[in-house]
Amino acid sequence: MDNREISQAVIGRLPRYFRFLGELKDEGIERISSQELSDIMKVTASQIRQDFNNFGGFGQQGYGYKVEYLYEEIGKILGLDKTHNLIIIGAGNLGQALANYMNFERRGFLFKGIFDNNPDLYGKKIRNMEVRPMEEMDAFVRENEIDIAVLTIPKTSAVPVAERLVRNGIRGIWNFAHVDLNVPREVQVENVHLSDSVMKLAYNINRFEKGERS
Ligand code: NAI
């Protein structure tokens, strides 16, 4: 199955399926119908069937889905059956918070290094890593088979740093800097803007209040 044929909207829903199925698996639930999955996930059963049909279905008519099998298959589609080596660029508030969040490792995302250009931070221990100077970044990426870089630096520095990462063979950038990165098509970028999420929340609060009044 070539994932490029599948819409980003479907891909965007897979992590949520994966999360819910992981919880069901941990609760010892072995089998679930699309209707039951629909009830707990608050997605229509037909949406679930359509989504899964992109990957050949996964279910058996009248039998439902085998939770563990589905969990593993979605994990494979998401590339979570492999481990990924990550570095963080920018050891400030956000970089440190991400480095300290242990759950990424459970999913196979292994933080190997954290870099900053502030000499006051060099050598500072953040969980199991010491902050390294940016001068060491290029060789570190090549020598430690780093596939993903997390950018938690200001937007003014993100573009040149991303270019350096690309030159050193990075495959993915998890970009928290508020700037669009122009990278070759073989490098994947996922932009994260927490503020977009809170603005969506504000919109929904607003919309609900207007609806209540009218
Ligand atoms: P911070 O100021 O605590 O940390 C930034 C770190 O980057 C500092 O340690 C600084 O020395 C380092 N840095 C600056 N230029 C660098 C360079 N060229 N190379 C290496 N290190 C460099 O800031 P915070 O709160 O951690 O936020 C980091 C960035 O992420 C900010 O630009 C902020 O706007 C953004 N941000 C994005 C969010 C999102 O949802 N996308 C949420 C929060 C922050």
Side-chain angles (χ1 to χ4, degrees), residues 89-95 116-118 121 134 152-155 157 161 176 178 192-195:
I89 317 289
N93 295 310
L94 190 53
D116 205 285
N117 69 352
N118 177 355
L121 293 174
M134 286 299 283
T152 50
I153 47 179
K155 63 177 178 184
S157 346
V161 168
F176 287 82
H178 297 295
V192 183
H193 298 296
L194 298 178
S195 49

mmCIF file with all atom_site columns, all heavy atoms in Angstrom, residues 89-95 116-118 121 134 152-155 157 161 176 178 192-195, ligand 1:
data_model
loop_
_atom_site.group_PDB
_atom_site.id
_atom_site.type_symbol
_atom_site.label_atom_id
_atom_site.label_alt_id
_atom_site.label_comp_id
_atom_site.label_asym_id
_atom_site.label_entity_id
_atom_site.label_seq_id
_atom_site.pdbx_PDB_ins_code
_atom_site.Cartn_x
_atom_site.Cartn_y
_atom_site.Cartn_z
_atom_site.occupancy
_atom_site.B_iso_or_equiv
_atom_site.pdbx_formal_charge
_atom_site.auth_seq_id
_atom_site.auth_comp_id
_atom_site.auth_asym_id
_atom_site.auth_atom_id
_atom_site.pdbx_PDB_model_num
ATOM   1   N N   . ILE A 1 89  ? 16.700 21.176 18.820 1.00 0.00 ? 89  ILE A N   1
ATOM   2   C CA  . ILE A 1 89  ? 17.498 22.389 18.641 1.00 0.00 ? 89  ILE A CA  1
ATOM   3   C C   . ILE A 1 89  ? 16.768 23.503 19.389 1.00 0.00 ? 89  ILE A C   1
ATOM   4   O O   . ILE A 1 89  ? 15.655 23.875 19.008 1.00 0.00 ? 89  ILE A O   1
ATOM   5   C CB  . ILE A 1 89  ? 17.626 22.801 17.155 1.00 0.00 ? 89  ILE A CB  1
ATOM   6   C CG1 . ILE A 1 89  ? 17.906 21.605 16.255 1.00 0.00 ? 89  ILE A CG1 1
ATOM   7   C CG2 . ILE A 1 89  ? 18.679 23.893 16.987 1.00 0.00 ? 89  ILE A CG2 1
ATOM   8   C CD1 . ILE A 1 89  ? 19.243 21.005 16.373 1.00 0.00 ? 89  ILE A CD1 1
ATOM   9   N N   . GLY A 1 90  ? 17.407 24.008 20.419 1.00 0.00 ? 90  GLY A N   1
ATOM   10  C CA  . GLY A 1 90  ? 16.801 25.052 21.267 1.00 0.00 ? 90  GLY A CA  1
ATOM   11  C C   . GLY A 1 90  ? 16.443 24.455 22.616 1.00 0.00 ? 90  GLY A C   1
ATOM   12  O O   . GLY A 1 90  ? 15.424 23.785 22.764 1.00 0.00 ? 90  GLY A O   1
ATOM   13  N N   . ALA A 1 91  ? 17.313 24.687 23.599 1.00 0.00 ? 91  ALA A N   1
ATOM   14  C CA  . ALA A 1 91  ? 17.120 24.073 24.927 1.00 0.00 ? 91  ALA A CA  1
ATOM   15  C C   . ALA A 1 91  ? 16.460 25.062 25.883 1.00 0.00 ? 91  ALA A C   1
ATOM   16  O O   . ALA A 1 91  ? 16.841 25.162 27.051 1.00 0.00 ? 91  ALA A O   1
ATOM   17  C CB  . ALA A 1 91  ? 18.466 23.597 25.473 1.00 0.00 ? 91  ALA A CB  1
ATOM   18  N N   . GLY A 1 92  ? 15.475 25.788 25.375 1.00 0.00 ? 92  GLY A N   1
ATOM   19  C CA  . GLY A 1 92  ? 14.734 26.726 26.233 1.00 0.00 ? 92  GLY A CA  1
ATOM   20  C C   . GLY A 1 92  ? 13.552 26.033 26.891 1.00 0.00 ? 92  GLY A C   1
ATOM   21  O O   . GLY A 1 92  ? 13.560 24.809 27.080 1.00 0.00 ? 92  GLY A O   1
ATOM   22  N N   . ASN A 1 93  ? 12.514 26.816 27.187 1.00 0.00 ? 93  ASN A N   1
ATOM   23  C CA  . ASN A 1 93  ? 11.344 26.259 27.890 1.00 0.00 ? 93  ASN A CA  1
ATOM   24  C C   . ASN A 1 93  ? 10.744 25.071 27.149 1.00 0.00 ? 93  ASN A C   1
ATOM   25  O O   . ASN A 1 93  ? 10.533 24.006 27.717 1.00 0.00 ? 93  ASN A O   1
ATOM   26  C CB  . ASN A 1 93  ? 10.255 27.330 28.016 1.00 0.00 ? 93  ASN A CB  1
ATOM   27  C CG  . ASN A 1 93  ? 10.716 28.462 28.890 1.00 0.00 ? 93  ASN A CG  1
ATOM   28  O OD1 . ASN A 1 93  ? 11.211 28.242 29.991 1.00 0.00 ? 93  ASN A OD1 1
ATOM   29  N ND2 . ASN A 1 93  ? 10.574 29.685 28.412 1.00 0.00 ? 93  ASN A ND2 1
ATOM   30  N N   . LEU A 1 94  ? 10.464 25.284 25.860 1.00 0.00 ? 94  LEU A N   1
ATOM   31  C CA  . LEU A 1 94  ? 9.769  24.258 25.096 1.00 0.00 ? 94  LEU A CA  1
ATOM   32  C C   . LEU A 1 94  ? 10.668 23.046 24.832 1.00 0.00 ? 94  LEU A C   1
ATOM   33  O O   . LEU A 1 94  ? 10.246 21.894 25.006 1.00 0.00 ? 94  LEU A O   1
ATOM   34  C CB  . LEU A 1 94  ? 9.283  24.873 23.774 1.00 0.00 ? 94  LEU A CB  1
ATOM   35  C CG  . LEU A 1 94  ? 8.346  24.066 22.924 1.00 0.00 ? 94  LEU A CG  1
ATOM   36  C CD1 . LEU A 1 94  ? 7.134  23.600 23.710 1.00 0.00 ? 94  LEU A CD1 1
ATOM   37  C CD2 . LEU A 1 94  ? 7.895  24.898 21.720 1.00 0.00 ? 94  LEU A CD2 1
ATOM   38  N N   . GLY A 1 95  ? 11.897 23.313 24.435 1.00 0.00 ? 95  GLY A N   1
ATOM   39  C CA  . GLY A 1 95  ? 12.838 22.223 24.156 1.00 0.00 ? 95  GLY A CA  1
ATOM   40  C C   . GLY A 1 95  ? 13.028 21.343 25.384 1.00 0.00 ? 95  GLY A C   1
ATOM   41  O O   . GLY A 1 95  ? 13.032 20.112 25.306 1.00 0.00 ? 95  GLY A O   1
ATOM   42  N N   . ASP A 1 116 ? 22.024 24.042 21.603 1.00 0.00 ? 116 ASP A N   1
ATOM   43  C CA  . ASP A 1 116 ? 21.644 25.445 21.787 1.00 0.00 ? 116 ASP A CA  1
ATOM   44  C C   . ASP A 1 116 ? 22.858 26.300 21.414 1.00 0.00 ? 116 ASP A C   1
ATOM   45  O O   . ASP A 1 116 ? 23.974 25.789 21.324 1.00 0.00 ? 116 ASP A O   1
ATOM   46  C CB  . ASP A 1 116 ? 21.251 25.696 23.254 1.00 0.00 ? 116 ASP A CB  1
ATOM   47  C CG  . ASP A 1 116 ? 20.307 26.882 23.395 1.00 0.00 ? 116 ASP A CG  1
ATOM   48  O OD1 . ASP A 1 116 ? 20.770 28.046 23.275 1.00 0.00 ? 116 ASP A OD1 1
ATOM   49  O OD2 . ASP A 1 116 ? 19.098 26.660 23.606 1.00 0.00 ? 116 ASP A OD2 1
ATOM   50  N N   . ASN A 1 117 ? 22.622 27.579 21.171 1.00 0.00 ? 117 ASN A N   1
ATOM   51  C CA  . ASN A 1 117 ? 23.770 28.452 20.883 1.00 0.00 ? 117 ASN A CA  1
ATOM   52  C C   . ASN A 1 117 ? 24.096 29.373 22.051 1.00 0.00 ? 117 ASN A C   1
ATOM   53  O O   . ASN A 1 117 ? 24.904 30.285 21.910 1.00 0.00 ? 117 ASN A O   1
ATOM   54  C CB  . ASN A 1 117 ? 23.561 29.253 19.582 1.00 0.00 ? 117 ASN A CB  1
ATOM   55  C CG  . ASN A 1 117 ? 22.477 30.311 19.721 1.00 0.00 ? 117 ASN A CG  1
ATOM   56  O OD1 . ASN A 1 117 ? 21.780 30.357 20.738 1.00 0.00 ? 117 ASN A OD1 1
ATOM   57  N ND2 . ASN A 1 117 ? 22.330 31.149 18.705 1.00 0.00 ? 117 ASN A ND2 1
ATOM   58  N N   . ASN A 1 118 ? 23.475 29.119 23.202 1.00 0.00 ? 118 ASN A N   1
ATOM   59  C CA  . ASN A 1 118 ? 23.767 29.943 24.381 1.00 0.00 ? 118 ASN A CA  1
ATOM   60  C C   . ASN A 1 118 ? 24.805 29.222 25.252 1.00 0.00 ? 118 ASN A C   1
ATOM   61  O O   . ASN A 1 118 ? 24.500 28.187 25.858 1.00 0.00 ? 118 ASN A O   1
ATOM   62  C CB  . ASN A 1 118 ? 22.457 30.159 25.155 1.00 0.00 ? 118 ASN A CB  1
ATOM   63  C CG  . ASN A 1 118 ? 22.680 30.940 26.437 1.00 0.00 ? 118 ASN A CG  1
ATOM   64  O OD1 . ASN A 1 118 ? 23.822 31.252 26.797 1.00 0.00 ? 118 ASN A OD1 1
ATOM   65  N ND2 . ASN A 1 118 ? 21.604 31.230 27.141 1.00 0.00 ? 118 ASN A ND2 1
ATOM   66  N N   . LEU A 1 121 ? 24.224 27.555 28.598 1.00 0.00 ? 121 LEU A N   1
ATOM   67  C CA  . LEU A 1 121 ? 23.475 26.282 28.716 1.00 0.00 ? 121 LEU A CA  1
ATOM   68  C C   . LEU A 1 121 ? 24.338 25.053 28.415 1.00 0.00 ? 121 LEU A C   1
ATOM   69  O O   . LEU A 1 121 ? 23.927 23.928 28.701 1.00 0.00 ? 121 LEU A O   1
ATOM   70  C CB  . LEU A 1 121 ? 22.263 26.292 27.762 1.00 0.00 ? 121 LEU A CB  1
ATOM   71  C CG  . LEU A 1 121 ? 21.149 27.281 28.091 1.00 0.00 ? 121 LEU A CG  1
ATOM   72  C CD1 . LEU A 1 121 ? 20.090 27.278 26.990 1.00 0.00 ? 121 LEU A CD1 1
ATOM   73  C CD2 . LEU A 1 121 ? 20.494 26.916 29.422 1.00 0.00 ? 121 LEU A CD2 1
ATOM   74  N N   . MET A 1 134 ? 25.975 24.387 19.133 1.00 0.00 ? 134 MET A N   1
ATOM   75  C CA  . MET A 1 134 ? 25.523 24.187 17.749 1.00 0.00 ? 134 MET A CA  1
ATOM   76  C C   . MET A 1 134 ? 26.660 23.740 16.822 1.00 0.00 ? 134 MET A C   1
ATOM   77  O O   . MET A 1 134 ? 26.413 23.097 15.812 1.00 0.00 ? 134 MET A O   1
ATOM   78  C CB  . MET A 1 134 ? 24.906 25.474 17.215 1.00 0.00 ? 134 MET A CB  1
ATOM   79  C CG  . MET A 1 134 ? 23.542 25.775 17.767 1.00 0.00 ? 134 MET A CG  1
ATOM   80  S SD  . MET A 1 134 ? 22.339 24.485 17.368 1.00 0.00 ? 134 MET A SD  1
ATOM   81  C CE  . MET A 1 134 ? 21.976 24.855 15.655 1.00 0.00 ? 134 MET A CE  1
ATOM   82  N N   . THR A 1 152 ? 12.891 24.079 18.295 1.00 0.00 ? 152 THR A N   1
ATOM   83  C CA  . THR A 1 152 ? 12.263 24.915 19.336 1.00 0.00 ? 152 THR A CA  1
ATOM   84  C C   . THR A 1 152 ? 13.142 26.153 19.550 1.00 0.00 ? 152 THR A C   1
ATOM   85  O O   . THR A 1 152 ? 13.591 26.428 20.659 1.00 0.00 ? 152 THR A O   1
ATOM   86  C CB  . THR A 1 152 ? 12.077 24.110 20.654 1.00 0.00 ? 152 THR A CB  1
ATOM   87  O OG1 . THR A 1 152 ? 13.322 23.485 20.978 1.00 0.00 ? 152 THR A OG1 1
ATOM   88  C CG2 . THR A 1 152 ? 11.010 23.055 20.512 1.00 0.00 ? 152 THR A CG2 1
ATOM   89  N N   . ILE A 1 153 ? 13.393 26.812 18.439 1.00 0.00 ? 153 ILE A N   1
ATOM   90  C CA  . ILE A 1 153 ? 14.192 28.045 18.429 1.00 0.00 ? 153 ILE A CA  1
ATOM   91  C C   . ILE A 1 153 ? 13.327 29.157 17.828 1.00 0.00 ? 153 ILE A C   1
ATOM   92  O O   . ILE A 1 153 ? 12.322 28.875 17.176 1.00 0.00 ? 153 ILE A O   1
ATOM   93  C CB  . ILE A 1 153 ? 15.495 27.877 17.587 1.00 0.00 ? 153 ILE A CB  1
ATOM   94  C CG1 . ILE A 1 153 ? 15.176 27.218 16.237 1.00 0.00 ? 153 ILE A CG1 1
ATOM   95  C CG2 . ILE A 1 153 ? 16.544 27.120 18.350 1.00 0.00 ? 153 ILE A CG2 1
ATOM   96  C CD1 . ILE A 1 153 ? 16.370 27.043 15.338 1.00 0.00 ? 153 ILE A CD1 1
ATOM   97  N N   . PRO A 1 154 ? 13.742 30.408 18.020 1.00 0.00 ? 154 PRO A N   1
ATOM   98  C CA  . PRO A 1 154 ? 12.949 31.502 17.436 1.00 0.00 ? 154 PRO A CA  1
ATOM   99  C C   . PRO A 1 154 ? 12.898 31.414 15.912 1.00 0.00 ? 154 PRO A C   1
ATOM   100 O O   . PRO A 1 154 ? 13.789 30.852 15.284 1.00 0.00 ? 154 PRO A O   1
ATOM   101 C CB  . PRO A 1 154 ? 13.704 32.759 17.878 1.00 0.00 ? 154 PRO A CB  1
ATOM   102 C CG  . PRO A 1 154 ? 14.566 32.329 19.008 1.00 0.00 ? 154 PRO A CG  1
ATOM   103 C CD  . PRO A 1 154 ? 14.879 30.882 18.797 1.00 0.00 ? 154 PRO A CD  1
ATOM   104 N N   . LYS A 1 155 ? 11.863 32.011 15.339 1.00 0.00 ? 155 LYS A N   1
ATOM   105 C CA  . LYS A 1 155 ? 11.665 31.882 13.894 1.00 0.00 ? 155 LYS A CA  1
ATOM   106 C C   . LYS A 1 155 ? 12.807 32.489 13.089 1.00 0.00 ? 155 LYS A C   1
ATOM   107 O O   . LYS A 1 155 ? 13.105 32.032 11.994 1.00 0.00 ? 155 LYS A O   1
ATOM   108 C CB  . LYS A 1 155 ? 10.317 32.466 13.468 1.00 0.00 ? 155 LYS A CB  1
ATOM   109 C CG  . LYS A 1 155 ? 10.120 33.928 13.689 1.00 0.00 ? 155 LYS A CG  1
ATOM   110 C CD  . LYS A 1 155 ? 8.762  34.321 13.142 1.00 0.00 ? 155 LYS A CD  1
ATOM   111 C CE  . LYS A 1 155 ? 8.503  35.785 13.382 1.00 0.00 ? 155 LYS A CE  1
ATOM   112 N NZ  . LYS A 1 155 ? 7.169  36.174 12.943 1.00 0.00 ? 155 LYS A NZ  1
ATOM   113 N N   . SER A 1 157 ? 15.901 32.169 13.495 1.00 0.00 ? 157 SER A N   1
ATOM   114 C CA  . SER A 1 157 ? 17.016 31.229 13.275 1.00 0.00 ? 157 SER A CA  1
ATOM   115 C C   . SER A 1 157 ? 16.584 29.935 12.612 1.00 0.00 ? 157 SER A C   1
ATOM   116 O O   . SER A 1 157 ? 17.427 29.144 12.191 1.00 0.00 ? 157 SER A O   1
ATOM   117 C CB  . SER A 1 157 ? 17.701 30.851 14.590 1.00 0.00 ? 157 SER A CB  1
ATOM   118 O OG  . SER A 1 157 ? 17.356 31.683 15.634 1.00 0.00 ? 157 SER A OG  1
ATOM   119 N N   . VAL A 1 161 ? 18.955 27.115 10.244 1.00 0.00 ? 161 VAL A N   1
ATOM   120 C CA  . VAL A 1 161 ? 19.220 25.859 10.969 1.00 0.00 ? 161 VAL A CA  1
ATOM   121 C C   . VAL A 1 161 ? 18.615 24.682 10.191 1.00 0.00 ? 161 VAL A C   1
ATOM   122 O O   . VAL A 1 161 ? 19.242 23.635 10.028 1.00 0.00 ? 161 VAL A O   1
ATOM   123 C CB  . VAL A 1 161 ? 18.683 25.926 12.426 1.00 0.00 ? 161 VAL A CB  1
ATOM   124 C CG1 . VAL A 1 161 ? 18.696 24.560 13.077 1.00 0.00 ? 161 VAL A CG1 1
ATOM   125 C CG2 . VAL A 1 161 ? 19.501 26.919 13.248 1.00 0.00 ? 161 VAL A CG2 1
ATOM   126 N N   . PHE A 1 176 ? 8.416  23.741 15.587 1.00 0.00 ? 176 PHE A N   1
ATOM   127 C CA  . PHE A 1 176 ? 7.613  24.563 16.501 1.00 0.00 ? 176 PHE A CA  1
ATOM   128 C C   . PHE A 1 176 ? 7.834  26.050 16.271 1.00 0.00 ? 176 PHE A C   1
ATOM   129 O O   . PHE A 1 176 ? 7.141  26.879 16.864 1.00 0.00 ? 176 PHE A O   1
ATOM   130 C CB  . PHE A 1 176 ? 7.942  24.227 17.971 1.00 0.00 ? 176 PHE A CB  1
ATOM   131 C CG  . PHE A 1 176 ? 7.393  22.898 18.420 1.00 0.00 ? 176 PHE A CG  1
ATOM   132 C CD1 . PHE A 1 176 ? 8.067  21.723 18.126 1.00 0.00 ? 176 PHE A CD1 1
ATOM   133 C CD2 . PHE A 1 176 ? 6.205  22.815 19.127 1.00 0.00 ? 176 PHE A CD2 1
ATOM   134 C CE1 . PHE A 1 176 ? 7.563  20.484 18.525 1.00 0.00 ? 176 PHE A CE1 1
ATOM   135 C CE2 . PHE A 1 176 ? 5.693  21.587 19.531 1.00 0.00 ? 176 PHE A CE2 1
ATOM   136 C CZ  . PHE A 1 176 ? 6.371  20.421 19.229 1.00 0.00 ? 176 PHE A CZ  1
ATOM   137 N N   . HIS A 1 178 ? 7.591  29.562 14.531 1.00 0.00 ? 178 HIS A N   1
ATOM   138 C CA  . HIS A 1 178 ? 6.466  30.095 13.751 1.00 0.00 ? 178 HIS A CA  1
ATOM   139 C C   . HIS A 1 178 ? 6.938  30.641 12.418 1.00 0.00 ? 178 HIS A C   1
ATOM   140 O O   . HIS A 1 178 ? 6.891  31.841 12.169 1.00 0.00 ? 178 HIS A O   1
ATOM   141 C CB  . HIS A 1 178 ? 5.750  31.187 14.557 1.00 0.00 ? 178 HIS A CB  1
ATOM   142 C CG  . HIS A 1 178 ? 5.141  30.674 15.820 1.00 0.00 ? 178 HIS A CG  1
ATOM   143 N ND1 . HIS A 1 178 ? 4.115  29.770 15.846 1.00 0.00 ? 178 HIS A ND1 1
ATOM   144 C CD2 . HIS A 1 178 ? 5.429  30.929 17.121 1.00 0.00 ? 178 HIS A CD2 1
ATOM   145 C CE1 . HIS A 1 178 ? 3.783  29.490 17.088 1.00 0.00 ? 178 HIS A CE1 1
ATOM   146 N NE2 . HIS A 1 178 ? 4.572  30.171 17.889 1.00 0.00 ? 178 HIS A NE2 1
ATOM   147 N N   . VAL A 1 192 ? 3.903  22.621 14.129 1.00 0.00 ? 192 VAL A N   1
ATOM   148 C CA  . VAL A 1 192 ? 3.011  22.577 15.297 1.00 0.00 ? 192 VAL A CA  1
ATOM   149 C C   . VAL A 1 192 ? 2.822  24.004 15.799 1.00 0.00 ? 192 VAL A C   1
ATOM   150 O O   . VAL A 1 192 ? 3.801  24.709 16.053 1.00 0.00 ? 192 VAL A O   1
ATOM   151 C CB  . VAL A 1 192 ? 3.622  21.742 16.448 1.00 0.00 ? 192 VAL A CB  1
ATOM   152 C CG1 . VAL A 1 192 ? 2.652  21.650 17.614 1.00 0.00 ? 192 VAL A CG1 1
ATOM   153 C CG2 . VAL A 1 192 ? 4.016  20.368 15.969 1.00 0.00 ? 192 VAL A CG2 1
ATOM   154 N N   . HIS A 1 193 ? 1.566  24.405 15.873 1.00 0.00 ? 193 HIS A N   1
ATOM   155 C CA  . HIS A 1 193 ? 1.272  25.735 16.414 1.00 0.00 ? 193 HIS A CA  1
ATOM   156 C C   . HIS A 1 193 ? 0.225  25.568 17.502 1.00 0.00 ? 193 HIS A C   1
ATOM   157 O O   . HIS A 1 193 ? -0.967 25.436 17.204 1.00 0.00 ? 193 HIS A O   1
ATOM   158 C CB  . HIS A 1 193 ? 0.735  26.663 15.326 1.00 0.00 ? 193 HIS A CB  1
ATOM   159 C CG  . HIS A 1 193 ? 1.707  26.894 14.208 1.00 0.00 ? 193 HIS A CG  1
ATOM   160 N ND1 . HIS A 1 193 ? 2.920  27.521 14.402 1.00 0.00 ? 193 HIS A ND1 1
ATOM   161 C CD2 . HIS A 1 193 ? 1.656  26.572 12.911 1.00 0.00 ? 193 HIS A CD2 1
ATOM   162 C CE1 . HIS A 1 193 ? 3.563  27.567 13.248 1.00 0.00 ? 193 HIS A CE1 1
ATOM   163 N NE2 . HIS A 1 193 ? 2.822  26.999 12.336 1.00 0.00 ? 193 HIS A NE2 1
ATOM   164 N N   . LEU A 1 194 ? 0.648  25.533 18.744 1.00 0.00 ? 194 LEU A N   1
ATOM   165 C CA  . LEU A 1 194 ? -0.307 25.351 19.847 1.00 0.00 ? 194 LEU A CA  1
ATOM   166 C C   . LEU A 1 194 ? -1.341 26.469 19.837 1.00 0.00 ? 194 LEU A C   1
ATOM   167 O O   . LEU A 1 194 ? -2.498 26.261 20.191 1.00 0.00 ? 194 LEU A O   1
ATOM   168 C CB  . LEU A 1 194 ? 0.417  25.337 21.196 1.00 0.00 ? 194 LEU A CB  1
ATOM   169 C CG  . LEU A 1 194 ? 1.425  24.205 21.394 1.00 0.00 ? 194 LEU A CG  1
ATOM   170 C CD1 . LEU A 1 194 ? 2.100  24.329 22.751 1.00 0.00 ? 194 LEU A CD1 1
ATOM   171 C CD2 . LEU A 1 194 ? 0.745  22.852 21.281 1.00 0.00 ? 194 LEU A CD2 1
ATOM   172 N N   . SER A 1 195 ? -0.902 27.649 19.390 1.00 0.00 ? 195 SER A N   1
ATOM   173 C CA  . SER A 1 195 ? -1.832 28.780 19.401 1.00 0.00 ? 195 SER A CA  1
ATOM   174 C C   . SER A 1 195 ? -3.009 28.551 18.441 1.00 0.00 ? 195 SER A C   1
ATOM   175 O O   . SER A 1 195 ? -4.116 29.013 18.694 1.00 0.00 ? 195 SER A O   1
ATOM   176 C CB  . SER A 1 195 ? -1.108 30.084 19.078 1.00 0.00 ? 195 SER A CB  1
ATOM   177 O OG  . SER A 1 195 ? -0.319 29.893 17.940 1.00 0.00 ? 195 SER A OG  1
HETATM 178 P P1  . NAI B 2 .   ? 13.093 30.094 24.885 1.00 0.00 ? 1   NAI B P1  1
HETATM 179 O O1  . NAI B 2 .   ? 13.584 31.466 24.673 1.00 0.00 ? 1   NAI B O1  1
HETATM 180 O O2  . NAI B 2 .   ? 12.898 29.593 26.288 1.00 0.00 ? 1   NAI B O2  1
HETATM 181 O O3  . NAI B 2 .   ? 14.083 29.056 24.147 1.00 0.00 ? 1   NAI B O3  1
HETATM 182 C C1  . NAI B 2 .   ? 14.660 29.260 22.898 1.00 0.00 ? 1   NAI B C1  1
HETATM 183 C C2  . NAI B 2 .   ? 16.065 28.661 22.948 1.00 0.00 ? 1   NAI B C2  1
HETATM 184 O O4  . NAI B 2 .   ? 16.591 28.682 21.627 1.00 0.00 ? 1   NAI B O4  1
HETATM 185 C C3  . NAI B 2 .   ? 17.018 29.460 23.835 1.00 0.00 ? 1   NAI B C3  1
HETATM 186 O O5  . NAI B 2 .   ? 17.653 28.599 24.749 1.00 0.00 ? 1   NAI B O5  1
HETATM 187 C C4  . NAI B 2 .   ? 18.002 30.072 22.832 1.00 0.00 ? 1   NAI B C4  1
HETATM 188 O O6  . NAI B 2 .   ? 19.292 30.206 23.366 1.00 0.00 ? 1   NAI B O6  1
HETATM 189 C C5  . NAI B 2 .   ? 17.966 29.052 21.713 1.00 0.00 ? 1   NAI B C5  1
HETATM 190 N N1  . NAI B 2 .   ? 18.368 29.574 20.408 1.00 0.00 ? 1   NAI B N1  1
HETATM 191 C C6  . NAI B 2 .   ? 18.085 30.768 19.833 1.00 0.00 ? 1   NAI B C6  1
HETATM 192 N N2  . NAI B 2 .   ? 18.629 30.857 18.616 1.00 0.00 ? 1   NAI B N2  1
HETATM 193 C C7  . NAI B 2 .   ? 19.280 29.687 18.406 1.00 0.00 ? 1   NAI B C7  1
HETATM 194 C C8  . NAI B 2 .   ? 20.054 29.184 17.339 1.00 0.00 ? 1   NAI B C8  1
HETATM 195 N N3  . NAI B 2 .   ? 20.247 29.873 16.201 1.00 0.00 ? 1   NAI B N3  1
HETATM 196 N N4  . NAI B 2 .   ? 20.575 27.949 17.464 1.00 0.00 ? 1   NAI B N4  1
HETATM 197 C C9  . NAI B 2 .   ? 20.372 27.229 18.591 1.00 0.00 ? 1   NAI B C9  1
HETATM 198 N N5  . NAI B 2 .   ? 19.683 27.659 19.647 1.00 0.00 ? 1   NAI B N5  1
HETATM 199 C C10 . NAI B 2 .   ? 19.129 28.884 19.538 1.00 0.00 ? 1   NAI B C10 1
HETATM 200 O O7  . NAI B 2 .   ? 11.776 29.969 24.063 1.00 0.00 ? 1   NAI B O7  1
HETATM 201 P P2  . NAI B 2 .   ? 10.627 28.832 24.147 1.00 0.00 ? 1   NAI B P2  1
HETATM 202 O O8  . NAI B 2 .   ? 9.552  29.297 25.011 1.00 0.00 ? 1   NAI B O8  1
HETATM 203 O O9  . NAI B 2 .   ? 11.267 27.528 24.441 1.00 0.00 ? 1   NAI B O9  1
HETATM 204 O O10 . NAI B 2 .   ? 10.097 28.839 22.657 1.00 0.00 ? 1   NAI B O10 1
HETATM 205 C C11 . NAI B 2 .   ? 10.948 28.467 21.619 1.00 0.00 ? 1   NAI B C11 1
HETATM 206 C C12 . NAI B 2 .   ? 10.364 28.859 20.284 1.00 0.00 ? 1   NAI B C12 1
HETATM 207 O O11 . NAI B 2 .   ? 9.207  28.114 20.039 1.00 0.00 ? 1   NAI B O11 1
HETATM 208 C C13 . NAI B 2 .   ? 9.949  30.334 20.234 1.00 0.00 ? 1   NAI B C13 1
HETATM 209 O O12 . NAI B 2 .   ? 10.331 30.840 18.989 1.00 0.00 ? 1   NAI B O12 1
HETATM 210 C C14 . NAI B 2 .   ? 8.465  30.330 20.355 1.00 0.00 ? 1   NAI B C14 1
HETATM 211 O O13 . NAI B 2 .   ? 7.865  31.346 19.607 1.00 0.00 ? 1   NAI B O13 1
HETATM 212 C C15 . NAI B 2 .   ? 8.120  28.990 19.794 1.00 0.00 ? 1   NAI B C15 1
HETATM 213 N N6  . NAI B 2 .   ? 6.954  28.391 20.398 1.00 0.00 ? 1   NAI B N6  1
HETATM 214 C C16 . NAI B 2 .   ? 6.122  27.728 19.569 1.00 0.00 ? 1   NAI B C16 1
HETATM 215 C C17 . NAI B 2 .   ? 5.029  27.096 20.046 1.00 0.00 ? 1   NAI B C17 1
HETATM 216 C C18 . NAI B 2 .   ? 4.185  26.375 19.069 1.00 0.00 ? 1   NAI B C18 1
HETATM 217 O O14 . NAI B 2 .   ? 3.113  25.904 19.428 1.00 0.00 ? 1   NAI B O14 1
HETATM 218 N N7  . NAI B 2 .   ? 4.603  26.277 17.848 1.00 0.00 ? 1   NAI B N7  1
HETATM 219 C C19 . NAI B 2 .   ? 4.663  27.111 21.458 1.00 0.00 ? 1   NAI B C19 1
HETATM 220 C C20 . NAI B 2 .   ? 5.634  27.791 22.275 1.00 0.00 ? 1   NAI B C20 1
HETATM 221 C C21 . NAI B 2 .   ? 6.730  28.407 21.734 1.00 0.00 ? 1   NAI B C21 1
#
